[in-house]
Amino acid sequence: MARIILLFVIIFLVSLSEVEPITFKISNRCRNTIWPGFLSGATSPPLPTTGFRLSRGKSKTVTIPPSWSGRLWARTLCSQDPASGSFACLTADCGSGKVECSGSGAKPPATLAEFTLNGTGGLDFYDVSLVDGYNLPMLILPKKIVVGGCGATGCLVDLNAACPTDLKLLTRGSRGGGVACRSACEAFSDPRYCCSDAYATPDTCQPSVYSLFFKHACPRAYSYAYDDKTSTYTCSTGADYAIIFCPPPYTSEKLLGSRKDGATLPLVNKSMIHLQ
Ligand SMILES: *[C@@H]1O[C@H](CO)[C@@H](O)[C@H](O)[C@H]1NC(C)=O
Ligand SMILES: *[C@@H]1O[C@H](CO)[C@@H](O)[C@H](O)[C@H]1NC(C)=O
């Protein structure tokens, strides 16, 4: 009898120490359907989904295991080949041939949301990266409101039309409009832009006219590999996150204006209004 009671006490204690999963609420405010994709880090627990379809105006909440790290993005202009049944996207394709990405990452250019949940010091680290180029505007919004932390980050401006000509990803039928904007590293494979070889340190890899195009439009996002530390944001572990694709830039900025998140850079550069 005593043993059974002891067993129940142990089960009770184990259940108390279990950490609650958190959630990502993914929303599509874009004009068209998008297909979000997820890639978990090598040592990270798997997610319940690695990719799904999200119609215009819809949201989906995904349960995220504790201490997860990885990235997410959204694919655009996807279709299924009627003959082979293979699924493919014109931007940010993960190459799985299916809606689920199943361990494959995004083919650049793609706007990336990067997360390390419950990292150093019990903090979540997150950023929006344009290091691999850009395909859609994106906002990461921690649901926790903490003074001096849990800042909103993202790239709220539509950069596909404004993309410098030599970085523009054009597709058949896109009539010069562009469906994504490549990084200078991808477009020119130059170590200067890729921060590789002789340029593989923060001191030797400098911003370029191309990375500054991204930085000026989206001051809080990573614009090249050694962009300064103002591009990584932190929140105490346990927060839920909203990830919004194509958020309305000025309403978002207004809504977020009251959050005292301590971020030094603006979310939207007002002098870049002409890009809209
Ligand atoms: C964070 O990670 C530590 C181990 O590194 C673990 O003990 C703790 O329960 C985790 N907390 C949450 C909220 O996931
Ligand atoms: C805003 O854009 C202008 C023009 O491109 C640029 O000179 C300025 O540095 C940008 N501001 C920020 C905070 O990035």
Side-chain angles (χ1 to χ4, degrees):
M1 189 62 193
R3 271 195 200 167
I4 288 173
I5 290 170
L6 186 64
L7 188 66
F8 276 108
V9 167
I10 288 169
I11 289 171
F12 177 65
L13 288 177
V14 165
S15 73
L16 270 188
S17 70
E18 213 160 78
V19 233
E20 286 290 304
I22 59 110
T23 60
F24 285 174
K25 185 182 178 191
I26 319 238
S27 305
N28 177 8
R29 305 287 300 271
C30 305
R31 277 193 288 269
N32 300 303
T33 301
I34 59 169
W35 287 261
F38 294 86
L39 178 65
S40 298
T43 59
S44 212
L47 296 179
T49 175
T50 56
F52 52 88
R53 178 183 197 274
L54 195 60
S55 308
R56 169 186 178 168
K58 292 277 186 283
S59 299
K60 185 180 166 85
T61 299
V62 180
T63 303
I64 308 292
S67 306
W68 182 78
S69 72
R71 42 177 56 178
L72 72 114
W73 64 95
R75 296 161 283 173
T76 63
L77 303 163
C78 304
S79 61
Q80 191 159 20
D81 186 276
S84 64
S86 181
F87 178 83
C89 306
L90 290 187
T91 79
D93 193 29
C94 56
S96 63
K98 299 196 173 69
V99 173
E100 293 270 347
C101 284
S102 315
S104 310
K107 179 172 183 252
T111 313
L112 299 173
E114 304 182 305
F115 283 91
T116 300
L117 301 179
N118 192 15
T120 314
L123 290 173
D124 291 353
F125 294 79
Y126 53 96
D127 63 78
V128 165
S129 171
L130 307 178
V131 174
D132 285 341
Y134 167 102
N135 71 329
L136 282 176
M138 185 199 277
L139 175 66
I140 301 181
L141 190 58
K143 296 223 183 129
K144 220 179 229 180
I145 298 189
V146 171
V147 174
C150 305
T153 186
C155 179
L156 271 51
V157 186
D158 184 346
L159 295 180
N160 287 337
C163 182
T165 315
D166 35 5
L167 300 184
K168 229 174 229 192
L169 182 71
L170 299 168
T171 55
R172 226 171 345 138
S174 63
R175 290 199 209 94
V179 293
C181 193
R182 294 182 295 167
S183 67
C185 170
E186 194 209 340
F188 310 116
S189 306
D190 184 330
R192 257 172 238 267
Y193 299 134
C194 298
C195 300
S196 55
D197 305 336
Y199 304 91
T201 68
D203 290 334
T204 51
C205 199
Q206 295 295 313
S208 64
V209 287
Y210 298 106
S211 72
L212 287 173
F213 161 75
F214 291 111
K215 196 67 186 172
H216 286 160
C218 300
R220 293 196 191 181
Y222 260 92
S223 63
Y224 74 107
Y226 294 115
D227 205 348
D228 60 55
K229 290 185 184 68
T230 53
S231 300
T232 298
Y233 290 79
T234 57
C235 189
S236 45
T237 292
D240 292 318
Y241 292 87
I243 293 135
I244 306 159
F245 289 97
C246 315
Y250 297 103
T251 11
S252 306
E253 208 208 4
K254 228 182 228 169
L255 282 174
L256 298 174
S258 58
R259 285 169 67 118
K260 301 266 179 289
D261 61 24
T264 50
L265 295 168
L267 200 47
V268 175
N269 183 342
K270 290 196 177 66
S271 71
M272 302 281 277
I273 282 171
H274 64 277
L275 289 177
Q276 286 301 294

PDB file of all heavy atoms in Angstrom, residues 176-204:
ATOM      1  N   GLY A 176       7.912  41.970 -64.487  1.00  0.00           N
ATOM      2  CA  GLY A 176       8.818  42.915 -63.861  1.00  0.00           C
ATOM      3  C   GLY A 176       8.467  43.257 -62.419  1.00  0.00           C
ATOM      4  O   GLY A 176       9.204  43.966 -61.747  1.00  0.00           O
ATOM      5  N   GLY A 177       7.330  42.786 -61.951  1.00  0.00           N
ATOM      6  CA  GLY A 177       6.895  43.102 -60.592  1.00  0.00           C
ATOM      7  C   GLY A 177       7.762  42.427 -59.555  1.00  0.00           C
ATOM      8  O   GLY A 177       8.078  43.002 -58.527  1.00  0.00           O
ATOM      9  N   GLY A 178       8.193  41.207 -59.822  1.00  0.00           N
ATOM     10  CA  GLY A 178       9.039  40.475 -58.883  1.00  0.00           C
ATOM     11  C   GLY A 178       8.211  39.774 -57.831  1.00  0.00           C
ATOM     12  O   GLY A 178       7.225  40.307 -57.333  1.00  0.00           O
ATOM     13  N   VAL A 179       8.602  38.540 -57.482  1.00  0.00           N
ATOM     14  CA  VAL A 179       7.869  37.766 -56.478  1.00  0.00           C
ATOM     15  C   VAL A 179       8.676  37.629 -55.201  1.00  0.00           C
ATOM     16  O   VAL A 179       8.165  37.177 -54.175  1.00  0.00           O
ATOM     17  CB  VAL A 179       7.481  36.370 -57.010  1.00  0.00           C
ATOM     18  CG1 VAL A 179       6.458  36.493 -58.133  1.00  0.00           C
ATOM     19  CG2 VAL A 179       8.701  35.579 -57.470  1.00  0.00           C
ATOM     20  N   ALA A 180       9.954  38.034 -55.248  1.00  0.00           N
ATOM     21  CA  ALA A 180      10.809  37.986 -54.063  1.00  0.00           C
ATOM     22  C   ALA A 180      12.046  38.832 -54.359  1.00  0.00           C
ATOM     23  O   ALA A 180      12.255  39.273 -55.493  1.00  0.00           O
ATOM     24  CB  ALA A 180      11.203  36.549 -53.727  1.00  0.00           C
ATOM     25  N   CYS A 181      12.855  39.057 -53.312  1.00  0.00           N
ATOM     26  CA  CYS A 181      14.036  39.904 -53.446  1.00  0.00           C
ATOM     27  C   CYS A 181      15.227  39.134 -52.873  1.00  0.00           C
ATOM     28  O   CYS A 181      15.231  38.777 -51.693  1.00  0.00           O
ATOM     29  CB  CYS A 181      13.789  41.203 -52.674  1.00  0.00           C
ATOM     30  SG  CYS A 181      14.978  42.497 -53.018  1.00  0.00           S
ATOM     31  N   ARG A 182      16.216  38.839 -53.729  1.00  0.00           N
ATOM     32  CA  ARG A 182      17.343  38.015 -53.298  1.00  0.00           C
ATOM     33  C   ARG A 182      18.313  38.805 -52.429  1.00  0.00           C
ATOM     34  O   ARG A 182      18.392  40.030 -52.528  1.00  0.00           O
ATOM     35  CB  ARG A 182      18.077  37.480 -54.534  1.00  0.00           C
ATOM     36  CG  ARG A 182      17.221  36.522 -55.346  1.00  0.00           C
ATOM     37  CD  ARG A 182      17.967  35.981 -56.526  1.00  0.00           C
ATOM     38  NE  ARG A 182      18.301  37.041 -57.482  1.00  0.00           N
ATOM     39  CZ  ARG A 182      19.162  36.887 -58.476  1.00  0.00           C
ATOM     40  NH1 ARG A 182      19.783  35.739 -58.641  1.00  0.00           N
ATOM     41  NH2 ARG A 182      19.397  37.882 -59.308  1.00  0.00           N
ATOM     42  N   SER A 183      19.091  38.093 -51.626  1.00  0.00           N
ATOM     43  CA  SER A 183      20.181  38.742 -50.899  1.00  0.00           C
ATOM     44  C   SER A 183      21.313  38.951 -51.898  1.00  0.00           C
ATOM     45  O   SER A 183      21.406  38.233 -52.912  1.00  0.00           O
ATOM     46  CB  SER A 183      20.650  37.849 -49.758  1.00  0.00           C
ATOM     47  OG  SER A 183      21.259  36.685 -50.277  1.00  0.00           O
ATOM     48  N   ALA A 184      22.197  39.914 -51.604  1.00  0.00           N
ATOM     49  CA  ALA A 184      23.341  40.154 -52.493  1.00  0.00           C
ATOM     50  C   ALA A 184      24.232  38.918 -52.520  1.00  0.00           C
ATOM     51  O   ALA A 184      24.826  38.592 -53.544  1.00  0.00           O
ATOM     52  CB  ALA A 184      24.112  41.373 -52.029  1.00  0.00           C
ATOM     53  N   CYS A 185      24.313  38.198 -51.387  1.00  0.00           N
ATOM     54  CA  CYS A 185      25.127  36.976 -51.325  1.00  0.00           C
ATOM     55  C   CYS A 185      24.629  35.967 -52.342  1.00  0.00           C
ATOM     56  O   CYS A 185      25.396  35.424 -53.125  1.00  0.00           O
ATOM     57  CB  CYS A 185      25.094  36.402 -49.911  1.00  0.00           C
ATOM     58  SG  CYS A 185      25.812  34.746 -49.780  1.00  0.00           S
ATOM     59  N   GLU A 186      23.323  35.741 -52.374  1.00  0.00           N
ATOM     60  CA  GLU A 186      22.768  34.766 -53.304  1.00  0.00           C
ATOM     61  C   GLU A 186      22.900  35.250 -54.752  1.00  0.00           C
ATOM     62  O   GLU A 186      23.233  34.473 -55.650  1.00  0.00           O
ATOM     63  CB  GLU A 186      21.297  34.514 -52.971  1.00  0.00           C
ATOM     64  CG  GLU A 186      20.743  33.277 -53.664  1.00  0.00           C
ATOM     65  CD  GLU A 186      19.257  33.373 -53.950  1.00  0.00           C
ATOM     66  OE1 GLU A 186      18.552  34.183 -53.317  1.00  0.00           O
ATOM     67  OE2 GLU A 186      18.793  32.629 -54.833  1.00  0.00           O
ATOM     68  N   ALA A 187      22.665  36.554 -54.970  1.00  0.00           N
ATOM     69  CA  ALA A 187      22.668  37.080 -56.338  1.00  0.00           C
ATOM     70  C   ALA A 187      24.067  37.090 -56.951  1.00  0.00           C
ATOM     71  O   ALA A 187      24.219  36.822 -58.138  1.00  0.00           O
ATOM     72  CB  ALA A 187      22.065  38.480 -56.360  1.00  0.00           C
ATOM     73  N   PHE A 188      25.101  37.407 -56.157  1.00  0.00           N
ATOM     74  CA  PHE A 188      26.445  37.603 -56.717  1.00  0.00           C
ATOM     75  C   PHE A 188      27.479  36.597 -56.224  1.00  0.00           C
ATOM     76  O   PHE A 188      28.617  36.618 -56.696  1.00  0.00           O
ATOM     77  CB  PHE A 188      26.931  39.026 -56.418  1.00  0.00           C
ATOM     78  CG  PHE A 188      25.946  40.097 -56.786  1.00  0.00           C
ATOM     79  CD1 PHE A 188      25.386  40.913 -55.806  1.00  0.00           C
ATOM     80  CD2 PHE A 188      25.546  40.280 -58.107  1.00  0.00           C
ATOM     81  CE1 PHE A 188      24.455  41.899 -56.138  1.00  0.00           C
ATOM     82  CE2 PHE A 188      24.630  41.267 -58.443  1.00  0.00           C
ATOM     83  CZ  PHE A 188      24.082  42.072 -57.463  1.00  0.00           C
ATOM     84  N   SER A 189      27.135  35.759 -55.221  1.00  0.00           N
ATOM     85  CA  SER A 189      28.063  34.782 -54.627  1.00  0.00           C
ATOM     86  C   SER A 189      29.435  35.403 -54.320  1.00  0.00           C
ATOM     87  O   SER A 189      30.465  34.780 -54.550  1.00  0.00           O
ATOM     88  CB  SER A 189      28.279  33.571 -55.543  1.00  0.00           C
ATOM     89  OG  SER A 189      27.053  33.014 -55.882  1.00  0.00           O
ATOM     90  N   ASP A 190      29.431  36.618 -53.806  1.00  0.00           N
ATOM     91  CA  ASP A 190      30.679  37.327 -53.501  1.00  0.00           C
ATOM     92  C   ASP A 190      30.931  37.222 -51.992  1.00  0.00           C
ATOM     93  O   ASP A 190      30.051  37.568 -51.203  1.00  0.00           O
ATOM     94  CB  ASP A 190      30.493  38.787 -53.942  1.00  0.00           C
ATOM     95  CG  ASP A 190      31.742  39.632 -53.767  1.00  0.00           C
ATOM     96  OD1 ASP A 190      32.534  39.354 -52.846  1.00  0.00           O
ATOM     97  OD2 ASP A 190      31.911  40.588 -54.553  1.00  0.00           O
ATOM     98  N   PRO A 191      32.149  36.750 -51.591  1.00  0.00           N
ATOM     99  CA  PRO A 191      32.443  36.600 -50.157  1.00  0.00           C
ATOM    100  C   PRO A 191      32.219  37.890 -49.354  1.00  0.00           C
ATOM    101  O   PRO A 191      31.876  37.844 -48.173  1.00  0.00           O
ATOM    102  CB  PRO A 191      33.919  36.215 -50.117  1.00  0.00           C
ATOM    103  CG  PRO A 191      34.256  35.757 -51.479  1.00  0.00           C
ATOM    104  CD  PRO A 191      33.268  36.339 -52.439  1.00  0.00           C
ATOM    105  N   ARG A 192      32.388  39.032 -50.010  1.00  0.00           N
ATOM    106  CA  ARG A 192      32.133  40.322 -49.364  1.00  0.00           C
ATOM    107  C   ARG A 192      30.692  40.438 -48.865  1.00  0.00           C
ATOM    108  O   ARG A 192      30.413  41.010 -47.824  1.00  0.00           O
ATOM    109  CB  ARG A 192      32.314  41.444 -50.384  1.00  0.00           C
ATOM    110  CG  ARG A 192      33.580  42.203 -50.285  1.00  0.00           C
ATOM    111  CD  ARG A 192      33.646  43.122 -51.512  1.00  0.00           C
ATOM    112  NE  ARG A 192      34.851  42.809 -52.246  1.00  0.00           N
ATOM    113  CZ  ARG A 192      35.988  43.447 -52.065  1.00  0.00           C
ATOM    114  NH1 ARG A 192      36.049  44.450 -51.210  1.00  0.00           N
ATOM    115  NH2 ARG A 192      37.071  43.103 -52.722  1.00  0.00           N
ATOM    116  N   TYR A 193      29.768  39.926 -49.676  1.00  0.00           N
ATOM    117  CA  TYR A 193      28.345  39.987 -49.328  1.00  0.00           C
ATOM    118  C   TYR A 193      27.924  38.793 -48.470  1.00  0.00           C
ATOM    119  O   TYR A 193      26.987  38.882 -47.680  1.00  0.00           O
ATOM    120  CB  TYR A 193      27.478  40.011 -50.584  1.00  0.00           C
ATOM    121  CG  TYR A 193      27.719  41.189 -51.495  1.00  0.00           C
ATOM    122  CD1 TYR A 193      27.845  41.007 -52.868  1.00  0.00           C
ATOM    123  CD2 TYR A 193      27.795  42.489 -50.979  1.00  0.00           C
ATOM    124  CE1 TYR A 193      28.044  42.086 -53.716  1.00  0.00           C
ATOM    125  CE2 TYR A 193      28.003  43.565 -51.817  1.00  0.00           C
ATOM    126  CZ  TYR A 193      28.131  43.362 -53.188  1.00  0.00           C
ATOM    127  OH  TYR A 193      28.326  44.425 -54.026  1.00  0.00           O
ATOM    128  N   CYS A 194      28.635  37.662 -48.640  1.00  0.00           N
ATOM    129  CA  CYS A 194      28.256  36.436 -47.922  1.00  0.00           C
ATOM    130  C   CYS A 194      28.926  36.339 -46.548  1.00  0.00           C
ATOM    131  O   CYS A 194      28.623  35.427 -45.784  1.00  0.00           O
ATOM    132  CB  CYS A 194      28.632  35.209 -48.750  1.00  0.00           C
ATOM    133  SG  CYS A 194      27.775  35.143 -50.339  1.00  0.00           S
ATOM    134  N   CYS A 195      29.848  37.259 -46.251  1.00  0.00           N
ATOM    135  CA  CYS A 195      30.622  37.208 -45.002  1.00  0.00           C
ATOM    136  C   CYS A 195      31.341  35.858 -44.899  1.00  0.00           C
ATOM    137  O   CYS A 195      31.323  35.200 -43.855  1.00  0.00           O
ATOM    138  CB  CYS A 195      29.756  37.462 -43.775  1.00  0.00           C
ATOM    139  SG  CYS A 195      28.950  39.072 -43.774  1.00  0.00           S
ATOM    140  N   SER A 196      31.964  35.444 -45.998  1.00  0.00           N
ATOM    141  CA  SER A 196      32.701  34.174 -45.998  1.00  0.00           C
ATOM    142  C   SER A 196      34.166  34.449 -46.357  1.00  0.00           C
ATOM    143  O   SER A 196      34.539  35.600 -46.644  1.00  0.00           O
ATOM    144  CB  SER A 196      32.068  33.210 -47.007  1.00  0.00           C
ATOM    145  OG  SER A 196      32.009  33.797 -48.289  1.00  0.00           O
ATOM    146  N   ASP A 197      34.997  33.403 -46.351  1.00  0.00           N
ATOM    147  CA  ASP A 197      36.431  33.483 -46.675  1.00  0.00           C
ATOM    148  C   ASP A 197      37.120  34.607 -45.882  1.00  0.00           C
ATOM    149  O   ASP A 197      37.077  34.604 -44.680  1.00  0.00           O
ATOM    150  CB  ASP A 197      36.650  33.658 -48.197  1.00  0.00           C
ATOM    151  CG  ASP A 197      35.959  32.546 -48.992  1.00  0.00           C
ATOM    152  OD1 ASP A 197      35.741  31.462 -48.389  1.00  0.00           O
ATOM    153  OD2 ASP A 197      35.615  32.758 -50.160  1.00  0.00           O
ATOM    154  N   ALA A 198      37.711  35.588 -46.583  1.00  0.00           N
ATOM    155  CA  ALA A 198      38.446  36.673 -45.908  1.00  0.00           C
ATOM    156  C   ALA A 198      37.502  37.629 -45.165  1.00  0.00           C
ATOM    157  O   ALA A 198      37.952  38.498 -44.428  1.00  0.00           O
ATOM    158  CB  ALA A 198      39.270  37.442 -46.926  1.00  0.00           C
ATOM    159  N   TYR A 199      36.197  37.451 -45.381  1.00  0.00           N
ATOM    160  CA  TYR A 199      35.226  38.387 -44.794  1.00  0.00           C
ATOM    161  C   TYR A 199      34.349  37.713 -43.739  1.00  0.00           C
ATOM    162  O   TYR A 199      33.212  38.104 -43.530  1.00  0.00           O
ATOM    163  CB  TYR A 199      34.360  38.999 -45.897  1.00  0.00           C
ATOM    164  CG  TYR A 199      35.182  39.679 -46.957  1.00  0.00           C
ATOM    165  CD1 TYR A 199      35.602  38.988 -48.082  1.00  0.00           C
ATOM    166  CD2 TYR A 199      35.573  41.012 -46.795  1.00  0.00           C
ATOM    167  CE1 TYR A 199      36.384  39.597 -49.041  1.00  0.00           C
ATOM    168  CE2 TYR A 199      36.356  41.622 -47.751  1.00  0.00           C
ATOM    169  CZ  TYR A 199      36.766  40.923 -48.871  1.00  0.00           C
ATOM    170  OH  TYR A 199      37.545  41.527 -49.817  1.00  0.00           O
ATOM    171  N   ALA A 200      34.915  36.691 -43.090  1.00  0.00           N
ATOM    172  CA  ALA A 200      34.095  35.859 -42.203  1.00  0.00           C
ATOM    173  C   ALA A 200      34.067  36.340 -40.748  1.00  0.00           C
ATOM    174  O   ALA A 200      33.764  35.559 -39.853  1.00  0.00           O
ATOM    175  CB  ALA A 200      34.558  34.405 -42.280  1.00  0.00           C
ATOM    176  N   THR A 201      34.360  37.600 -40.501  1.00  0.00           N
ATOM    177  CA  THR A 201      34.258  38.120 -39.130  1.00  0.00           C
ATOM    178  C   THR A 201      33.420  39.398 -39.143  1.00  0.00           C
ATOM    179  O   THR A 201      33.302  40.059 -40.186  1.00  0.00           O
ATOM    180  CB  THR A 201      35.643  38.469 -38.538  1.00  0.00           C
ATOM    181  OG1 THR A 201      36.177  39.598 -39.264  1.00  0.00           O
ATOM    182  CG2 THR A 201      36.621  37.302 -38.610  1.00  0.00           C
ATOM    183  N   PRO A 202      32.884  39.766 -37.977  1.00  0.00           N
ATOM    184  CA  PRO A 202      32.074  40.992 -37.913  1.00  0.00           C
ATOM    185  C   PRO A 202      32.876  42.232 -38.328  1.00  0.00           C
ATOM    186  O   PRO A 202      32.315  43.179 -38.877  1.00  0.00           O
ATOM    187  CB  PRO A 202      31.684  41.088 -36.441  1.00  0.00           C
ATOM    188  CG  PRO A 202      31.824  39.704 -35.903  1.00  0.00           C
ATOM    189  CD  PRO A 202      32.900  39.046 -36.694  1.00  0.00           C
ATOM    190  N   ASP A 203      34.206  42.224 -38.093  1.00  0.00           N
ATOM    191  CA  ASP A 203      35.013  43.398 -38.439  1.00  0.00           C
ATOM    192  C   ASP A 203      35.272  43.519 -39.931  1.00  0.00           C
ATOM    193  O   ASP A 203      35.352  44.626 -40.465  1.00  0.00           O
ATOM    194  CB  ASP A 203      36.364  43.356 -37.710  1.00  0.00           C
ATOM    195  CG  ASP A 203      36.193  43.588 -36.222  1.00  0.00           C
ATOM    196  OD1 ASP A 203      35.192  44.252 -35.842  1.00  0.00           O
ATOM    197  OD2 ASP A 203      37.027  43.084 -35.447  1.00  0.00           O
ATOM    198  N   THR A 204      35.414  42.368 -40.602  1.00  0.00           N
ATOM    199  CA  THR A 204      35.755  42.423 -42.023  1.00  0.00           C
ATOM    200  C   THR A 204      34.519  42.443 -42.923  1.00  0.00           C
ATOM    201  O   THR A 204      34.605  42.859 -44.070  1.00  0.00           O
ATOM    202  CB  THR A 204      36.649  41.232 -42.431  1.00  0.00           C
ATOM    203  OG1 THR A 204      36.042  40.035 -41.978  1.00  0.00           O
ATOM    204  CG2 THR A 204      38.037  41.355 -41.833  1.00  0.00           C
TER     205      THR A 204
END
